[in-house]
Amino acid sequence: MYAYVMCPKCKDQFLETDKYNFFDERHCPKCGNRYVLALLGEKSIDDTVYKITFDGSPFLDNKVIKYLEEKLEEYHFDVDDMMQKIKNWEEGNVVYEGDTLHTYLLMDILGIHELCYIVTPEFSYKRSMAPHIALCPDCGSETVEKEEKTDDMKGCFNKGRFCKHCNKWTVCFLVNET
């Protein structure tokens, strides 16, 4: 099994790791954040070129378009080129063609309910949630894993990621103790 980490802020490269921990001991030289588990697979990352096409007509209202433009810019894609391909979608047209890293990032962007897509060849890696929940979306601080009994529901507790700086849950699941 191969495992890869990435910086949850910069998201600009994968680094191989032999550990499967949420946080890696290494830090990003650009921003100082710890690397987090991002990708798992049966094979090492190679030079496979992936193609992404839409599966059916994408639903593109103003809210979806704004989201796509913001995320494409955040992940350093050519926003104008990508938006032109997305808006002028036709059956079978390739929206993107590229390497594992950029396919991973675009899958992240397109992973909303309004957009169904196909990756060819099949993306042969499992994506981790860690890059999305490692940093607080409000302040950018590193989150910590936390469990806490809840007063509201007997026999249950909250479990998830917590921002100590904002003193709030960033991801929280209600879990039964049994």
Side-chain angles (χ1 to χ4, degrees), residues 87-104:
K87 287 178 181 177
N88 297 324
W89 170 88
E90 288 186 28
E91 186 88 31
N93 280 10
V94 174
V95 175
Y96 177 75
E97 190 171 345
D99 63 6
T100 303
L101 173 66
H102 293 92
T103 301
Y104 168 94

Side-chain angles (χ1 to χ4, degrees), residues 73-124:
E73 185 172 338
E74 177 185 336
Y75 290 3
H76 311 291
F77 282 93
D78 181 336
V79 177
D80 294 334
D81 179 56
M82 289 296 298
M83 287 308 299
Q84 182 179 2
K85 288 178 182 176
I86 291 169
K87 287 178 181 177
N88 297 324
W89 170 88
E90 288 186 28
E91 186 88 31
N93 280 10
V94 174
V95 175
Y96 177 75
E97 190 171 345
D99 63 6
T100 303
L101 173 66
H102 293 92
T103 301
Y104 168 94
L105 294 172
L106 194 55
M107 289 170 67
D108 182 46
I109 294 169
L110 298 177
I112 57 175
H113 298 294
E114 292 86 349
L115 303 172
C116 297
Y117 61 90
I118 299 170
V119 179
T120 309
E122 183 177 341
F123 197 69
S124 54

